[in-house]
Amino acid sequence: MSGKDKVQIGLAVAEMVIEHGLPAALKILSTLDKDQMTLEEIKALGDRVPHPDTFEGE
Amino acid sequence: MELFKIKELRDLGIMVLAVLCLLLVSCGAGFVTNAGKTLDVGATIYESGYPMFLDLHKKGLITDAQKAKGYDLAVKYWAAYHAAQTAHELYAEVDSAENKDKVTLAMQEMAKRLAELTAYIQPLIKEGN
């Protein structure tokens, strides 16, 4: 990854912190840091992204 | 593989997609891991951003029409994400050129839908904060 790419990522992450809050940004950074994903982790992605209706009434 | 050009993403106001695309094409980790990380990051963006968008409506900062449009875009992203996740999981279990192609196509659609959603809700979130 080039230096320019790293700067792009840094700016994107900074934007994320501002727009989505620190917890989400930290989670994204943690994800970026992974070298591999296990099959269990891959399957667990199926539990993410609940339907928009799920957020109603929260 | 190049999903989007960074300049185009900036024009759309979605720098975050540059991160996702870089994840997908970067060397080091394999395609499966990169695709998984892309899904994961997109999911985090949605799971943090969409509730913030809904919160704007609760505070009276966006209209019913704006909320409805955001909802429609969120539903499209939700469908695209799960289609991509299913294809990704299948490819992780059965390594074939056909399955990999399906993942690639599904990831492109997922990225497009996330781009549309974030391009719409993020400016509203910025305005509301």
Side-chain angles (χ1 to χ4, degrees):
Chain A
M1 193 181 293
S2 71
K4 184 181 175 184
D5 290 341
K6 289 178 182 175
V7 169
Q8 299 277 18
I9 289 175
L11 288 172
V13 172
E15 193 171 316
M16 279 183 240
V17 172
I18 293 167
E19 293 179 355
H20 300 296
L22 189 57
L26 288 175
K27 187 176 188 324
I28 289 168
L29 284 172
S30 172
T31 300
L32 292 174
D33 203 37
K34 283 183 183 174
D35 288 329
Q36 281 190 327
M37 288 185 80
T38 65
L39 186 56
E40 288 70 31
E41 288 173 322
I42 288 168
K43 288 183 175 182
L45 290 171
D47 297 329
R48 303 285 301 281
V49 184
H51 192 276
D53 286 344
T54 308
F55 296 101
E56 292 293 338
E58 282 190 356
Chain B
M1 176 181 63
E2 190 172 320
L3 294 175
F4 296 102
K5 291 190 168 84
I6 292 178
K7 181 183 181 304
E8 290 166 352
L9 294 174
R10 277 192 170 138
D11 291 343
L12 290 170
I14 31 178
M15 272 280 286
V16 63
L17 262 296
V19 177
L20 301 185
C21 296
L22 287 170
L23 279 173
L24 201 53
V25 305
S26 65
C27 298
F31 177 84
V32 171
T33 294
N34 281 343
K37 287 161 74 169
T38 303
L39 287 167
D40 195 331
V41 170
T44 300
I45 291 167
Y46 166 82
E47 288 162 355
S48 63
Y50 188 66
M52 291 173 71
F53 168 75
L54 291 180
D55 206 45
L56 296 177
H57 186 259
K58 289 176 189 172
K59 293 176 180 175
L61 296 172
I62 61 171
T63 65
D64 290 347
Q66 286 174 314
K67 181 190 174 187
K69 181 171 178 181
Y71 175 83
D72 287 344
L73 293 171
V75 170
K76 286 175 180 172
Y77 166 69
W78 168 84
Y81 170 88
H82 285 284
Q85 190 278 326
T86 299
H88 177 243
E89 188 174 327
L90 179 61
Y91 177 62
E93 292 175 326
V94 181
D95 185 344
S96 72
E98 181 184 356
N99 284 348
K100 187 175 182 181
D101 286 345
K102 286 179 181 177
V103 175
T104 302
L105 285 172
M107 293 291 292
Q108 288 176 334
E109 178 67 13
M110 185 277 295
K112 177 188 166 189
R113 294 303 184 186
L114 180 61
E116 290 171 348
L117 175 63
T118 55
Y120 184 69
I121 69 174
Q122 280 183 355
L124 292 170
I125 291 170
K126 272 183 183 171
E127 266 183 51
N129 284 331

